[in-house]
Amino acid sequence: MASRLVQGQEGETGGRLADPPISYPIIPAGEQTVWADVSPLIASACNDLQDGQLIHGENFSLFAAMSALEIMDPKMDAGVEKCGYYSIEEAIENNVAPVPLSLNPTLDVQRVIDVIDHLFSCEATWYKGHTLAQTVFSCIYLLRIERTSSHALLHSYCRIMRATCNAVISVVSDSRTHEEEDLFTMAYGLPLKGEGDEKCLSILNSVEETISRQLRACKAQSLKKKQLEDIEPLQSNPDLEEGYCRALLCRLRFRKHYYLVLTSMKKPQGKGLELARKHVASCLSELTHITKSQEFLRALSYGFHQDDIQSSTTASGCRPIGFDASLNNRFSAPTPPRATHILSWKEAVSYFQKLLSDLDFVCSLNTDLVLDDVFCFIVQFQKPQPDLVARAHLQILLIQDGKLYGKEFFHDIISRELGLPELTKGKEHQKNEFIVQLGQLIINLLKILCANTAWQRRKLGKILQDWSVLSLQLEIAFKREIGETLNVMVDENMSTKVSKHLLRWTEERTYWIASRFLMLGFELELYSPYDYCMVYWFMYLVFMKLLEKIQLQTAANNENSQRKGKKKKDHGKDQIRDASFSSSTLLIHCYICLSEGLAMILAALRNESKAFHMVGPFNGEEERFIQHFDLLLKAHVPEHATYYLFKESTGHARISSIIKDNCFREAQKIITSLRGSYAGNSDKLIELQQLEQVAERNRVALSVIDQIGARDPSLTVSFEFTHHPHFAIAVIKRS
């Protein structure tokens, strides 16, 4: 391909010059455009041109060739091969999507269930990052939904399916998290909205009620009597009626409750969260019934089965009718068609179970949480790696109209957290440029924390620059105001207090961002075992500074409380806040002990047994240090952290000295004292259990290495993350 895109001029390709371009008469402006057949020209050029030459206009360049599409290349030309049908009308004329789906009523019901199941698999595939056009809207019934109006069951499902797609795209677009999966919201002109879609629930409820009545009639064993009255059976086989009714009802109810989850979660200020949780529970219950229906449907399967029953996109294992993924290929976008592998039906069920679990976690958010607790909530939410849809809903919930939960402006929240009541009495804080800037930085930080892990880490590294610059500006302002205060020999004025508290508050969040940035590197597997020593050393420095800033802020808040004299009610709140601060500081102290212990073990092994030394022709250790921490070093987080300081700090580490000052034993003591503080927090208790395992195993490993001797050639030490995602355990083997 590249050879055809080289300019055919002497001196560039070494070949002969292309013939001068043929001039055609210019059509005067205002006249009707006339299309000319250039096939003879192209045929003549094909016979005359040699390899490495091409016909091009005067404004064509090699730069333009980088974005050129090569005609007749299957990977670049969407229309080169005829796969499927060229238009929806052609597919309909060839009876690809008949209505009804079969003249046999039993077969018609079975095929409708297959269409529903395949749409279910397509929807999960779309959520995983594929295009809407090649997944859900590969269904011809959705593309021409008006054709299904005579089929009440299929029509009601298609309508709510279309409304669901529109609701999901709306949430993801509003949150702007789709920048990471930018194909997600591309609609390609598909019919996402239609007249009467707002009535999709009432239409579905009507169909559901009809099938429910039929199921009740089956249960009452009075089917024949009911048929004579007003209930028309779904299909012609009475023995299968109950099974088909159950299979359809659980699918319709799942779709209804899922749509209600989406609409409830969009209500402002989190007012629909409790209702959404009820619908999530209903969805999970219906998913269980859907799974149970597989045995019944598989036993009655008809027609053509899919090649592999395990990868089947339907519960019955049959191929659904009414789908053609190639229809939208050439209309999707000005890019080559993407290969789309539709998730199997079982994979789709598992996907929705996880998605609903993630949405339920979002709905469990207490909208009275303070800012630091919100950060912890998001970190906990991100642990199972939720997909785009759940993350978009969390972001929409957190940030509404520039307010937290849509209730309170961020500059008001920051002013309250500074612990200066006199600041929040008036409106002066709204005019403080630093508080306004911090409010915007917090909004950006919340959006970043709701992104996927890789995007999140990259953006956290970049936003550190903004936080560092603001900290520097606050420090300069504080020093200037302190100088002015000393000159006039008066007490600390309000402006100086605000600058001092803002500086501490900003620095604390800056180091929290840095710690999150470093720990995400483990989740993304960005560090090799050769890097663990420097990473844990850097984490030790960051956690130390974070602990220092938290203690300074806590001390300042306590000082303000004592000066002002709190009411009993406010004093109780302060005690709760202080208790949470003490538990969080102890947990960070535990992180410090584990980071220091791991860094020293790795350093001692490097010094005594020459293990974990990276030997290679490419990057040396200093280059890798800069590559891993470049964004932190540019932001001066922490200050004076350099590769030479790292070498100096770890160059004299020995196993014998680490044994005397055992950081892992200290970590175990802290964990024991923390259990009471986190008695009602199951997530924290699980983490404490994990940290205790890390501390205990590394303490034992350190003792074994000391007994055997680090220099013993039969000793092999490796590090694994079997108990905690960020803190490794040493695994010892002897050959």
Side-chain angles (χ1 to χ4, degrees):
M1 179 189 78
S3 63
R4 300 186 189 180
L5 294 177
V6 179
Q7 296 219 16
Q9 295 183 6
E10 192 171 2
E12 294 184 11
T13 64
R16 66 178 180 78
L17 289 171
D19 293 333
I22 302 172
S23 60
Y24 289 95
I26 299 174
I27 302 173
E31 293 187 17
Q32 187 177 3
T33 302
V34 178
W35 291 88
D37 185 6
V38 296
S39 300
L41 173 63
I42 294 175
S44 175
C46 289
N47 296 328
D48 192 44
L49 289 176
Q50 298 179 2
D51 287 341
Q53 293 183 327
L54 79 160
I55 299 174
H56 61 85
E58 293 180 357
N59 61 344
F60 187 82
S61 64
L62 288 175
F63 180 79
M66 296 297 293
S67 58
L69 296 180
E70 186 176 359
I71 298 174
M72 304 307 292
D73 184 339
K75 293 182 179 180
M76 303 186 76
D77 188 351
V80 66
E81 293 179 353
K82 178 178 169 62
C83 39
Y85 300 94
Y86 279 116
S87 68
I88 300 170
E89 287 69 26
E90 183 184 353
I92 293 172
E93 287 174 5
N94 284 272
N95 207 32
V96 174
V99 180
L101 285 73
S102 174
L103 296 177
N104 182 334
T106 303
L107 191 56
D108 180 74
V109 171
Q110 176 67 70
R111 285 181 172 176
V112 170
I113 294 174
D114 287 340
V115 169
I116 290 173
D117 285 350
H118 190 74
L119 278 172
F120 181 75
S121 299
C122 286
E123 185 180 12
T125 308
W126 173 44
Y127 290 169
K128 295 285 284 184
H130 289 279
T131 62
L132 184 64
Q134 291 181 271
T135 52
V136 177
F137 275 84
S138 63
C139 179
I140 298 172
Y141 294 114
L142 273 178
L143 292 169
R144 293 292 184 270
I145 203 169
E146 65 279 357
R147 294 182 61 248
T148 65
S149 56
S150 60
H151 198 298
L153 175 58
L154 183 61
H155 186 69
S156 64
Y157 194 87
C158 286
R159 272 198 177 278
I160 198 165
M161 190 75 212
R162 183 168 69 179
T164 300
C165 292
N166 192 41
V168 171
I169 285 181
S170 173
V171 169
V172 176
S173 299
D174 291 345
S175 68
R176 297 188 179 276
T177 49
H178 64 282
E179 291 177 1
E180 56 201 57
E181 292 104 351
D182 53 4
L183 288 170
F184 190 93
T185 56
M186 290 186 180
Y188 310 108
L190 296 169
L192 276 172
K193 295 181 180 179
E195 186 178 351
D197 277 2
E198 65 279 358
K199 300 177 182 178
C200 62
L201 273 179
S202 60
I203 296 172
L204 190 75
N205 285 332
S206 175
V207 173
E208 180 193 346
E209 178 57 30
T210 301
I211 299 175
S212 296
R213 288 164 56 199
Q214 185 62 27
L215 179 61
R216 288 193 295 270
C218 293
K219 287 181 178 180
Q221 296 182 348
S222 56
L223 182 60
K224 292 182 180 179
K225 180 181 177 182
K226 292 288 182 181
Q227 283 176 345
L228 293 173
E229 295 177 5
D230 60 345
I231 298 180
E232 183 180 351
L234 285 174
Q235 42 82 52
S236 54
N237 190 337
D239 297 333
L240 305 178
E241 188 74 5
E242 184 175 349
Y244 279 127
C245 285
R246 291 183 183 276
L248 280 170
L249 277 176
C250 58
R251 283 161 171 79
L252 295 178
R253 286 169 178 167
F254 169 83
R255 184 54 55 189
K256 176 182 71 175
H257 288 298
Y258 181 61
Y259 181 73
L260 288 171
V261 168
L262 300 178
T263 54
S264 299
M265 291 185 74
K266 283 198 72 174
K267 291 182 179 179
Q269 300 181 3
K271 293 178 179 178
L273 294 183
E274 187 177 348
L275 180 60
R277 292 197 80 176
K278 293 178 181 178
H279 288 301
V280 167
S282 298
C283 283
L284 289 170
S285 175
E286 297 304 333
L287 272 180
T288 304
H289 295 309
I290 290 173
T291 306
K292 290 179 180 178
S293 71
Q294 182 184 21
E295 185 178 352
F296 169 78
L297 297 172
R298 187 65 56 84
L300 300 172
S301 59
Y302 64 92
F304 296 102
H305 285 76
Q306 298 183 4
D307 297 334
D308 183 5
I309 203 70
Q310 294 301 320
S311 61
S312 167
T313 59
T314 61
S316 67
C318 297
R319 294 178 185 174
I321 64 172
F323 291 85
D324 190 340
S326 66
L327 275 176
N328 296 318
N329 272 3
R330 57 188 61 87
F331 307 117
S332 296
T335 57
R338 303 178 69 195
T340 303
H341 172 70
I342 304 297
L343 293 178
S344 70
W345 182 77
K346 287 185 176 180
E347 290 171 335
V349 170
S350 299
Y351 175 85
F352 271 99
Q353 286 172 339
K354 183 180 181 302
L355 173 62
L356 289 164
S357 176
D358 293 336
L359 291 174
D360 185 64
F361 191 88
V362 173
C363 294
S364 69
L365 175 63
N366 181 358
T367 55
D368 294 325
L369 290 177
V370 297
L371 203 54
D372 287 334
D373 291 335
V374 172
F375 292 151
C376 294
F377 179 89
I378 301 174
V379 170
Q380 190 65 34
F381 166 75
Q382 288 279 20
K383 285 184 178 179
Q385 297 184 347
D387 272 344
L388 177 63
V389 176
R391 289 187 277 107
H393 276 91
L394 177 58
Q395 184 179 316
I396 289 292
L397 173 61
L398 291 174
I399 307 168
Q400 300 176 23
D401 301 324
K403 302 176 184 177
L404 184 64
Y405 315 124
K407 297 179 178 179
E408 193 173 9
F409 285 107
F410 285 91
H411 52 69
D412 293 330
I413 295 169
I414 294 169
S415 302
R416 187 177 65 250
E417 293 205 354
L418 292 179
L420 297 173
E422 60 271 28
L423 179 64
T424 55
K425 288 179 181 178
K427 300 294 183 180
E428 290 80 6
H429 65 282
Q430 297 181 7
K431 302 175 183 177
N432 187 302
E433 59 174 326
F434 293 121
I435 294 179
V436 173
Q437 287 182 51
L438 273 174
Q440 188 56 52
L441 284 178
I442 290 294
I443 291 175
N444 294 339
L445 178 58
L446 288 173
K447 290 180 178 180
I448 290 169
L449 292 174
C450 291
N452 67 47
T453 308
W455 184 279
Q456 181 185 153
R457 186 178 189 272
R458 185 164 59 250
K459 290 293 185 181
L460 284 177
K462 293 180 179 179
I463 201 177
L464 265 175
Q465 313 294 321
D466 300 329
W467 283 83
S468 177
V469 169
L470 187 57
S471 296
L472 182 61
Q473 292 173 347
L474 282 166
E475 186 176 359
I476 294 171
F478 175 60
K479 288 179 179 178
R480 184 179 62 248
E481 289 162 1
I482 281 288
E484 293 173 357
T485 303
L486 291 175
N487 289 335
V488 296
M489 298 297 292
V490 295
D491 291 337
E492 196 176 42
N493 59 30
M494 189 61 195
S495 178
T496 307
K497 286 182 181 179
V498 171
S499 296
K500 181 171 69 174
H501 283 70
L502 272 178
L503 177 60
R504 290 170 178 168
W505 193 88
T506 304
E507 287 179 335
E508 180 187 335
R509 272 74 195 169
T510 302
Y511 283 103
W512 184 87
I513 294 170
S515 66
R516 180 71 179 153
F517 173 84
L518 289 170
M519 289 192 288
L520 284 175
F522 288 107
E523 296 181 22
L524 294 168
E525 300 180 0
L526 298 180
Y527 310 130
S528 73
Y530 305 108
D531 303 324
Y532 291 165
C533 182
M534 66 175 72
V535 173
Y536 283 120
W537 177 82
F538 216 102
M539 285 173 62
Y540 166 75
L541 295 183
V542 169
F543 283 131
M544 283 289 289
K545 295 295 289 186
L546 177 59
L547 182 61
E548 175 190 328
K549 302 303 177 185
I550 291 176
Q551 289 173 338
L552 285 173
Q553 185 65 26
T554 306
N557 290 339
N558 291 338
E559 183 182 351
N560 289 331
S561 299
Q562 292 171 3
R563 283 185 179 180
K564 296 296 178 182
K566 296 280 185 176
K567 295 179 182 179
K568 289 185 178 180
K569 182 179 179 181
D570 294 335
H571 184 65
K573 289 182 179 179
D574 284 347
Q575 286 182 328
I576 295 171
R577 188 187 301 114
D578 292 344
S580 64
F581 270 129
S582 61
S583 58
S584 63
T585 53
L586 280 174
L587 185 59
I588 293 171
H589 192 192
C590 180
Y591 291 161
I592 290 170
C593 293
L594 293 177
S595 300
E596 183 183 9
L598 285 166
M600 290 299 105
I601 284 185
L602 286 155
L605 290 172
R606 285 155 54 101
N607 295 334
E608 295 185 45
S609 65
K610 306 302 178 185
F612 300 102
H613 274 286
M614 184 173 184
V615 180
F618 302 109
N619 291 0
E621 188 177 60
E622 184 175 359
E623 286 80 5
R624 293 184 68 82
F625 184 92
I626 295 172
Q627 288 168 352
H628 282 308
F629 311 122
D630 184 46
L631 293 172
L632 297 175
L633 296 174
K634 287 179 178 177
H636 303 288
V637 179
E639 293 180 345
H640 313 302
T642 62
Y643 173 72
Y644 301 104
L645 181 61
F646 161 68
K647 292 297 289 184
E648 183 182 347
S649 304
T650 58
H652 303 289
R654 295 292 183 271
I655 294 294
S656 57
S657 61
I658 300 172
I659 285 286
K660 295 177 183 177
D661 186 19
N662 198 322
C663 298
F664 300 116
R665 188 176 289 111
E666 180 66 23
Q668 286 179 300
K669 293 178 182 178
I670 295 170
I671 292 167
T672 302
S673 65
L674 273 173
R675 282 204 175 89
S677 303
Y678 291 126
N681 191 329
S682 59
D683 294 326
K684 285 295 182 185
L685 288 175
I686 291 172
E687 185 182 8
L688 288 179
Q689 186 178 1
Q690 294 172 338
L691 293 172
E692 187 175 32
Q693 289 285 337
V694 171
E696 173 63 21
R697 289 176 181 271
N698 282 323
R699 186 186 65 80
V700 172
L702 184 60
S703 178
V704 172
I705 295 171
D706 183 52
Q707 292 174 7
I708 298 173
R711 298 179 185 276
D712 191 327
S714 66
L715 184 70
T716 303
V717 183
S718 60
F719 287 84
E720 299 176 357
F721 295 89
T722 52
H723 292 282
H724 196 278
H726 309 137
F727 296 102
I729 60 167
V731 179
I732 301 171
K733 295 180 181 179
R734 296 191 71 180
S735 56

